[in-house]
Amino acid sequence: MTIFDVLTFISGLALFLFGMKTMGIGLEKVSGGKLENILEKMTNTRLKGLLLGTAVTAVIQSSSAVTVMAVGFVNSGIMNLSQVIGIVMGAHIGTTVTAWLLSLTNIDGSGNVILSLFKPSSFAPVLALIGIVLYMFFKTEKKRNIGSILLGFAVLLIGMQTMSSSVEGLKDIPEFTGILTKFSNPILGLLAGAILTAIVQSSSASVGILQALSVTGSITVGAAFPIILGQNIGACVPVLLSSIGTSKNAKRTAGVYLAYSVLGAAAAMVCFYGADALIGGLPFKNYQVNAVSIAIIHSVFNIFTTLILFPLGGMLEKLMYKIIPESEDEKYREEKSNGLIDERFLMSPSYALDKVKEQCDDMATLAKEEIYLSLDFIKLFNRAKDERIKEIEKQLDNYEDELETYIVSISTMDMSVFDSVRMNKLSHSIGNFERIGDYGYNILKTKRRMHKNKIHFSDVANADLDVMAKAVKEIVDISTEAFINDDVHLAKKVEPLEQVINNLKNELRERHEKRITSGECNIDQGMLFIDIVNSFERIADHCSSLAVSIIELSKGSFQTHSYLKEVKSSDNKSFMQNFEEYLNKYTVK
């Protein structure tokens, strides 16, 4: 084997791994987090978990990625250990699909035109051409992602062919053949498979490398069998790493993945080598393997392991609790964990953004509650409401800190244009909800001062504030509901009401200045009254900002100023109609 062959193999390996990564990213973008949402919501039984784990892994081509996601589900309390056992088992079966796709390189189409069309050398260039056209010349995000999938698959197959052709000459080198023969030793084969998979971080990739080496004709069933078992064990490395620093239940999930692989390998080795010893040597043990037979061994092993361990899922769960026991104190701490979203969800940016949206919905609900309490607080000082407002304010600050940090992490990932737009919208909304809460808290502080210094507003001033407070309640209602339901139609009602609230601010300030001038109110009352009115107006401003982000980002843009200019134009009938309606509804007397 020349240095050129070595470099060719390395370049083929690079293309193979790059193609697999590119295809996986494209598949993830096309799925848009839907697969992860399905896993989360439809795994109430172990059988469903098995089927869905198989399907999702077959699509995204990575059992490790699916299991790492499952670790995140458990760590976040979305799922329990019992639910994810089925997912882990299904992930092992789903990952065998890659080996079958790669076995296409073993097709011999000589003499048969139809069969030759299924050879990668025939269709890979066509896929690459279609993929590059979709990726470069189409603006639609979905078509570009499909192009990325086709390109990744074509590059993967070309890399596989390159590796195979570079090592084909090794079949005539006795030294190389002797090395592969040593892997017939179960322990050496198991270690080789585990180490290779731990290095490339993918059992699918390591099986593909084994399939490429099989063209030398030097790998037998006896040598391939323990290597494949070891590859399943090596795939546990990224899952185990992902469980560092997680809850004990999440660690148990990683433990299930390792136990499945180890117990499955042990059972398979007992059956294989036990049968070999009993009958004095399995007749097929020394058969040479190819890409197809490796795919068969890989699939049979994982299906065999699932058939054995699936009925023992409950025992597997109990075993994990024995290995990783849980004290009452640790259980309490995990239940009280402040973590909002698990870092492992970053493997799927679309799904991670879905989880951010769920937390933003909670922020919207909390901000609305705080404003309602603050507005009621103006009328009557209440110690319990005071404490609840402070508690909500701290919660909103915590949400903002954690979610903004999480969004920064998401922004470093490879995302679709749609998800980038969603991320901007969510980041914008987080800030608005936090600021709405701040102004609710400002109202609390103003009322505290009034209570401490025994300052009271006149009946007329209270009546004016009551009108504006009702308008603020409605704008908070509309904007939070529009955000939670992503309701563009409802969001369009916010701006006319914001304009009415802005007019009320000016009118209430003028009326209160007249009361101060006439002696009905003093300067201290005036300052506090203006503080509350300004807080009302700023709450409305942030509601307007929320509504604009919903409307504009639904169109894939974020032209706030141009939208506001357009919507307030005199020829905008919808705006004027809503404005007149709110103007009549909220009038001071």
Side-chain angles (χ1 to χ4, degrees), residues 36 51 67 92 411 485 491 550 559 567:
E36 290 81 359
L51 296 175
T67 309
H92 279 84
S411 68
N485 298 318
I550 295 167
Q559 304 297 321
V567 81

Side-chain angles (χ1 to χ4, degrees), residues 520-539:
E520 293 179 57
C521 296
N522 58 41
I523 297 296
D524 288 339
Q525 290 172 319
M527 294 296 292
L528 295 171
F529 183 89
I530 297 302
D531 283 346
I532 292 174
V533 169
N534 286 341
S535 291
F536 281 172
E537 191 265 339
R538 294 302 296 148
I539 290 168

Side-chain angles (χ1 to χ4, degrees), residues 284-420:
F284 55 82
K285 186 177 177 182
N286 294 317
Y287 287 1
Q288 294 177 353
V289 295
N290 55 29
V292 175
S293 52
I294 288 173
I296 291 172
I297 295 170
H298 193 213
S299 298
V300 169
F301 163 62
N302 281 291
I303 293 171
F304 164 80
T305 304
T306 300
L307 288 174
I308 290 176
L309 295 180
F310 186 78
L312 306 176
M315 293 179 64
L316 200 59
E317 183 179 356
K318 289 177 182 177
L319 174 64
M320 289 301 109
Y321 276 95
K322 287 286 185 183
I323 296 172
I324 310 174
E326 185 175 41
S327 67
E328 287 300 318
D329 183 52
E330 288 162 339
K331 182 179 180 181
Y332 175 80
R333 286 203 306 269
E334 286 179 12
E335 288 175 350
K336 296 298 181 182
S337 172
N338 291 323
L340 296 175
I341 310 178
D342 199 284
E343 291 290 323
R344 288 147 200 84
F345 296 154
L346 292 173
M347 294 185 70
S348 172
S350 292
Y351 183 74
L353 288 171
D354 287 343
K355 306 314 288 182
V356 172
K357 173 61 166 62
E358 289 178 11
Q359 301 298 329
C360 284
D361 289 349
D362 290 342
M363 278 191 85
T365 303
L366 284 171
K368 177 180 174 180
E369 182 186 353
E370 183 174 356
I371 295 306
Y372 267 58
L373 289 170
S374 298
L375 296 182
D376 291 342
F377 202 73
I378 294 172
K379 299 176 183 177
L380 181 65
F381 182 86
N382 182 289
R383 188 72 62 186
K385 288 182 180 179
D386 185 310
E387 292 301 318
R388 178 56 183 159
I389 292 169
K390 285 194 295 183
E391 181 185 340
I392 294 174
E393 178 62 18
K394 288 179 182 178
Q395 285 180 284
L396 289 173
D397 288 343
N398 182 54
Y399 270 104
E400 183 189 36
D401 290 343
E402 290 203 32
L403 292 180
E404 285 292 2
T405 301
Y406 196 75
I407 282 179
V408 170
S409 298
I410 296 175
S411 68
T412 64
M413 310 302 288
D414 191 3
M415 286 183 290
S416 65
V417 172
F418 174 75
D419 282 337
S420 295

Side-chain angles (χ1 to χ4, degrees), residues 4 129 138 140 175 351 448 484 493 541:
F4 177 76
L129 178 62
F138 283 80
T140 307
E175 291 81 4
Y351 183 74
R448 278 180 186 166
I484 291 171
K493 293 186 176 183
D541 283 347

Side-chain angles (χ1 to χ4, degrees), residues 11 27 32 35 48 76 105 115 169 247 251 276 283 313 340 362 376 390 419 430 435 463 558 580:
S11 64
L27 287 165
L35 295 175
K48 284 183 181 179
S76 298
T105 58
L115 195 59
S247 68
K251 288 184 174 69
D276 184 54
L340 296 175
D362 290 342
D376 291 342
K390 285 194 295 183
D419 282 337
I430 290 166
R435 294 299 293 153
F558 197 35
E580 291 294 334

Side-chain angles (χ1 to χ4, degrees), residues 402-468:
E402 290 203 32
L403 292 180
E404 285 292 2
T405 301
Y406 196 75
I407 282 179
V408 170
S409 298
I410 296 175
S411 68
T412 64
M413 310 302 288
D414 191 3
M415 286 183 290
S416 65
V417 172
F418 174 75
D419 282 337
S420 295
V421 169
R422 259 208 314 165
M423 183 185 70
N424 290 333
K425 171 185 172 181
L426 290 171
S427 179
H428 185 75
S429 301
I430 290 166
N432 278 309
F433 287 130
E434 195 277 332
R435 294 299 293 153
I436 287 172
D438 283 347
Y439 286 108
Y441 191 64
N442 284 347
I443 294 171
L444 165 69
K445 290 189 289 185
T446 300
K447 184 60 180 179
R448 278 180 186 166
R449 287 172 58 193
M450 291 176 65
H451 179 73
K452 181 180 178 181
N453 298 318
K454 295 181 171 54
I455 297 174
H456 302 282
F457 295 137
S458 65
D459 290 341
V460 176
N462 279 325
D464 285 355
L465 285 177
D466 191 51
V467 172
M468 194 171 182

